[in-house]
Amino acid sequence: MQSQTETLYRNYCDKAFVAEHLSQLKTYLFVGSTSIYIVLAKPDTRELAAFSTIELTAHSNQLSLSALKQVLVGLPYDISQSEQVFIYLLQPKYTLVPEALFVAEKASALYHILHSPEKFHTVQHARTPFGILLYAAHDIQMGTLRLALPGAEIMHSMQCMLPALSKQQATSGKLQLVLHEHYMDVLCFDKQALRYCNRFPFESDTDIIYFVLAISEALRLNQEKLEICLSGSVTSTSPLLPLMRKYIPSVVFMKRPDGYSYPAAFRELQDQQYVPFLTPLLCE
C-alpha cells in the first residue's frame, strides 16, 4: 500500500457560483477518522455548490489547531466565510435509547453498557425522532473544532442521517447500508418507523456479506425479496457488488434527491458516493 505523505483533496464545485454566493451558503462538514467531507449548499433555493473530500495524513483527533486550519486553507473556498457551518462527527460509536428510559444524569452509564470507556472522551446526548442518541466525543478534537470554526454547531452524523434516510425509504423491509472506509451503518425502516440501526466495523467484503445476512435473518426479512440499498464508499466497479449479488436478490444504489440543482462537476461522481453527505439538506 502506498503511504500517504500529504493531504489529498478532491473538489467538485461550481467555482463561479461559490465565489459569488459564499456568504449565503451553508457548510456541512463531516469529520471521519482520516477523512473530511464537505458540502456547500444554498438550502432555500435547493442549490448544491460544492462537494469536497480530504484524505488526512493523521487521525483527525490528533490534529492540532494549526494543523486543522492548514488543512482547511487547502480548500478552494474559505468555509469560515459561509453563512453557517454545521459539523457532523462520523466516527464515534453510538447508542440509541428510548426517550422514556433516558435520564440525562445517567447518560454516561447508559452509553457504557455497550461501549467501553475511552480516555479523553465525554458522552454526549441528542434527541432524534427515534430516541435519544448517545455518543462519546473526543474532548481535544471538540475543542479544536470549536476554535477553528467558532459558532459552528457540532453533532453526530446520525442526527441527520436517521430522519433523512427514513424519508427515503421506498418500501418496507429494505436494508440501508452506508459504507465508510472501515465500518458501515445498517438501517431498516418500516413505514418511516425505525426497525433496526447499528454500526459495524469490517475488514473485508465478506464481513459485509456476513453482517447483512445475519441482520436480515434476525429481522426475519423475506430472503427471496431482500433488497439492499447501498451508499457511501462504494462504486459500480467495486468487487463487493458481484459478491453481494451472489447472496442477495436485489442490490441497488441510493439515488440523489430530486428537486436540487447540482454542479456539472458532480458528474465525475456516482450518486451514492455523496448522497450520505446531503442528508442534512433533507432534514431542512
Side-chain angles (χ1 to χ4, degrees):
M1 182 180 294
Q2 184 176 1
S3 62
Q4 184 182 341
T5 58
E6 60 182 25
T7 303
L8 178 62
Y9 298 84
R10 294 185 179 90
N11 299 297
Y12 311 89
C13 65
D14 183 334
K15 294 181 180 179
F17 184 86
V18 171
E20 182 179 353
H21 299 282
L22 183 57
S23 63
Q24 302 166 10
L25 299 177
K26 292 185 178 181
T27 297
Y28 306 94
L29 188 149
F30 291 78
V31 182
S33 57
T34 57
S35 300
I36 295 176
Y37 307 87
I38 300 172
V39 170
L40 290 184
K42 205 164 180 277
D44 56 336
T45 56
R46 300 172 75 87
E47 293 175 281
L48 272 294
F51 175 62
S52 297
T53 69
I54 307 173
E55 293 182 25
L56 304 170
T57 58
H59 197 292
S60 60
N61 64 22
Q62 297 175 354
L63 292 177
S64 64
L65 177 59
S66 60
L68 177 58
K69 286 184 174 180
Q70 189 63 36
V71 166
L72 297 178
V73 164
L75 291 165
Y77 42 78
D78 182 358
I79 62 174
S80 67
Q81 299 302 310
S82 63
E83 179 184 14
Q84 195 170 1
V85 178
F86 300 91
I87 300 174
Y88 299 90
L89 304 176
L90 279 169
Q91 187 60 20
K93 302 170 185 176
Y94 63 86
T95 297
L96 272 174
V97 177
E99 193 161 355
L101 301 179
F102 178 72
V103 179
E105 293 76 12
K106 297 183 178 180
S108 182
L110 289 168
Y111 175 82
H112 290 130
I113 291 174
L114 294 177
H115 304 296
S116 301
E118 297 177 270
K119 287 184 178 180
F120 311 117
H121 285 72
T122 300
V123 175
Q124 311 281 341
H125 66 272
R127 181 169 280 102
T128 77
F130 307 103
I132 304 299
L133 182 75
L134 303 177
Y135 63 96
H138 193 279
D139 299 331
I140 298 174
Q141 182 182 53
M142 292 283 280
T144 301
L145 288 169
R146 289 192 175 105
L147 289 172
L149 296 165
E153 185 176 346
I154 305 177
M155 63 199 88
H156 193 280
S157 60
M158 296 306 290
Q159 287 177 246
C160 61
M161 197 168 292
L162 280 168
L165 293 185
S166 71
K167 297 175 184 177
Q168 297 299 303
Q169 186 75 354
T171 59
S172 298
K174 182 190 299 182
L175 284 182
Q176 300 271 8
L177 258 65
V178 184
L179 299 178
H180 305 276
E181 188 175 355
H182 299 298
Y183 68 93
M184 65 178 179
D185 291 307
V186 184
L187 305 98
C188 185
F189 295 91
D190 184 359
K191 299 178 181 178
Q192 296 193 7
L194 181 64
R195 187 176 177 190
Y196 184 86
C197 176
N198 209 342
R199 175 169 286 180
F200 299 94
F202 64 85
E203 296 181 359
S204 66
D205 289 348
T206 54
D207 290 341
I208 296 173
I209 303 297
Y210 170 80
F211 284 126
V212 168
L213 294 178
I215 292 165
S216 63
E217 184 176 348
L219 294 177
R220 301 193 178 191
L221 301 178
N222 187 330
Q223 300 298 306
E224 294 181 357
K225 297 182 179 180
L226 181 61
E227 183 173 347
I228 304 296
C229 186
L230 288 173
S231 62
S233 298
V234 59
T235 68
S236 59
T237 59
S238 168
L240 171 64
L241 271 294
L243 179 62
M244 187 171 275
R245 286 172 175 145
K246 285 183 179 180
Y247 302 94
I248 298 163
S250 178
V251 180
V252 299
F253 287 130
M254 185 180 293
K255 299 296 184 183
R256 68 187 189 184
D258 295 328
Y260 289 85
S261 64
Y262 298 86
F266 275 40
R267 295 172 188 163
E268 299 177 42
L269 295 163
Q270 297 175 15
D271 290 1
Q272 74 279 357
Q273 292 178 275
Y274 59 83
V275 165
F277 308 108
L278 303 186
T279 49
L281 299 174
L282 303 178
C283 299
E284 291 277 342

